[in-house]
Amino acid sequence: MEELWRDTNIFYNVLCFLITENEKLFDRSDSNLYWRTVFHIFGILHHVYIGITAPSLNVANNPNPDIRILYTFKEAYLTGWNFTFQTVFLGLSLVHDILEWLDKQENSLAAKIRYWRNVIFSGMVVPFTLFVTAMFWSVYAIDRELVFPRIYDQVVPWWFNHCVHTNITIVVIIETLLQARRYPTNQRLELILYWIVAFSYAIVYYTIYFVTDRWLYQVFGIMNWWQVCLYQLGIWLVSYIFYKIQFPINRLIHGHEDNEISTEKSDDDDKDNAVNNKVNENDTKTNEMKTFENSQTITDSNTTLPKKTWSLKFRSIKNHFENSRL
């Protein structure tokens, strides 16, 4: 009976595989990969659980229209957008971790996954995650009615609120500690994605206001239009700063040794190396020519020396014959 249980229990078999067969887990050189894999698994489970739990809050059938608005505009909240960005990132990260365990991290598929994983994290996850957390809890501390009214507590548990507004930043912090991203993978593409999201989201909540005469966030409702414009510029500036500061912070944590040089820097280095090799090749050819010319000069000198010596000998013999009496 015990043997049958061991054969059919998937969790027991997985545990045995991790402990007895995959010694790589306990190799110190792969400890970072191990903890990254564990973190990404728990991150995916966390986000999937929140995605499954959200519909069960039964917001759509609530009799209070101020609560039903959460369901009406559920696709319009930046919190939901950012949660989607993080879920995609964690999924790509977990797939790449699996490829690393299989020693397939050098193939073309792994390279593409790694590329988009880093681009999405740097250009979308970091700036908007930090902005959502900073903006939400800052306004919440001043006046929660402007961002998350008390009436929402009737349907949204406190732990759910922290999962979508606090835990998201914990994900970014842990990922930054575990994975070195000292420089942008593709700064141009990351900024394009960042500004597409930033402008698109501004269009969404301004459109909602002009169509329904209701602000998605009540913090805008206490401002006049010039204050709204300044606040909007502040939103873009703060989130852009979050994008820029992630790289020096990463270098502070992981050091300045660049193991993940951006593609543009690599291209520049290759060009510089090619130029230096060409210069060295020309210098080598020049030195060979000079060496050849010097050897040729020495050879010519050696060949002319006997001629001068024979001439002197001939002159002495000629004088001797002229002075002799025959």
Side-chain angles (χ1 to χ4, degrees):
M1 186 67 181
E2 183 179 355
E3 293 180 357
L4 179 63
W5 179 84
R6 290 179 178 178
D7 293 337
T8 58
N9 191 298
I10 186 172
F11 295 104
Y12 175 81
N13 290 315
V14 169
L15 182 62
C16 289
F17 172 76
L18 295 179
I19 293 176
T20 60
E21 296 186 20
N22 199 342
E23 297 179 357
K24 203 173 185 182
L25 285 173
F26 303 100
D27 188 353
R28 291 188 62 185
S29 63
D30 296 303
S31 61
N32 184 270
L33 175 59
Y34 170 70
W35 288 114
R36 278 192 284 119
T37 306
V38 171
F39 164 65
H40 293 146
I41 291 174
F42 278 100
I44 285 288
L45 293 176
H46 172 274
H47 283 49
V48 170
Y49 177 75
I50 294 301
I52 295 173
T53 305
S56 66
L57 298 178
N58 200 24
V59 175
N61 300 322
N62 195 283
N64 192 324
D66 291 332
I67 293 179
R68 283 202 308 272
I69 198 171
L70 289 174
Y71 178 81
T72 304
F73 299 121
K74 62 181 184 296
E75 290 89 1
Y77 290 99
L78 184 59
T79 300
W81 289 27
N82 180 70
F83 214 73
T84 302
F85 300 156
Q86 284 206 357
T87 304
V88 173
F89 162 73
L90 289 169
L92 292 175
S93 298
L94 183 58
V95 172
H96 189 271
D97 294 339
I98 294 172
L99 291 174
E100 282 197 66
W101 285 114
L102 298 175
D103 292 327
K104 303 292 185 181
Q105 67 271 20
E106 300 300 330
N107 61 29
S108 59
L109 176 62
K112 292 177 181 178
I113 292 174
R114 182 168 56 250
Y115 177 84
W116 284 107
R117 176 200 68 179
N118 293 336
V119 167
I120 291 173
F121 180 80
S122 298
M124 302 169 74
V125 172
V126 171
F128 295 110
T129 295
L130 297 180
F131 171 75
V132 166
T133 299
M135 189 277 287
F136 179 85
W137 290 112
S138 297
V139 178
Y140 189 96
I142 297 171
D143 185 358
R144 66 169 295 180
E145 296 297 323
L146 299 177
V147 65
F148 195 81
R150 286 180 176 84
I151 195 173
Y152 290 169
D153 293 340
Q154 298 178 15
V155 292
V156 181
W158 64 269
W159 58 266
F160 189 93
N161 187 23
H162 280 288
C163 285
V164 297
H165 292 117
T166 305
N167 293 359
I168 54 175
T169 295
I170 296 175
V171 169
V172 170
I173 292 173
I174 295 177
E175 178 67 23
T176 302
L177 293 174
L178 292 177
Q179 182 67 58
R181 292 182 178 87
R182 299 177 179 89
Y183 299 95
T185 301
N186 186 333
Q187 184 170 351
R188 181 182 178 184
L189 179 58
E190 291 169 3
L191 287 176
I192 288 174
L193 293 175
Y194 164 77
W195 285 114
I196 287 175
V197 175
F199 285 131
S200 298
Y201 191 67
I203 292 172
V204 166
Y205 59 75
Y206 286 126
T207 301
I208 291 174
Y209 172 74
F210 288 120
V211 172
T212 66
D213 198 29
R214 181 188 181 103
W215 285 108
L216 192 61
Y217 302 103
Q218 294 307 309
V219 65
F220 289 95
I222 64 172
M223 303 178 186
N224 54 38
W225 274 108
W226 71 267
Q227 290 173 332
V228 169
C229 292
L230 290 178
Y231 191 72
Q232 181 62 64
L233 292 175
I235 289 173
W236 289 335
L237 177 62
V238 170
S239 53
Y240 178 76
I241 290 174
F242 284 142
Y243 167 78
K244 297 298 289 185
I245 66 174
Q246 63 177 301
F247 302 112
I249 290 176
N250 198 288
R251 289 194 292 271
L252 287 175
I253 296 171
H254 297 283
H256 291 274
E257 192 174 319
D258 187 6
N259 295 324
E260 297 180 10
I261 302 177
S262 61
T263 305
E264 295 179 359
K265 287 192 172 186
S266 298
D267 293 340
D268 292 340
D269 291 341
D270 292 340
K271 290 179 181 179
D272 292 340
N273 291 333
V275 172
N276 291 334
N277 291 336
K278 190 67 177 177
V279 171
N280 293 333
E281 184 180 348
N282 292 336
D283 291 341
T284 303
K285 289 182 179 180
T286 303
N287 292 333
E288 291 177 354
M289 290 296 295
K290 288 183 178 180
T291 304
F292 176 77
E293 291 175 356
N294 292 335
S295 61
Q296 187 68 27
T297 303
I298 293 173
T299 304
D300 293 342
S301 300
N302 292 335
T303 53
T304 55
L305 184 59
K307 292 181 180 180
K308 293 181 180 179
T309 305
W310 171 253
S311 176
L312 292 174
K313 287 182 179 180
F314 177 76
R315 288 178 183 177
S316 61
I317 294 173
K318 180 181 179 183
N319 293 332
H320 177 71
F321 278 102
E322 290 178 349
N323 296 327
S324 62
R325 297 178 180 179
L326 293 175

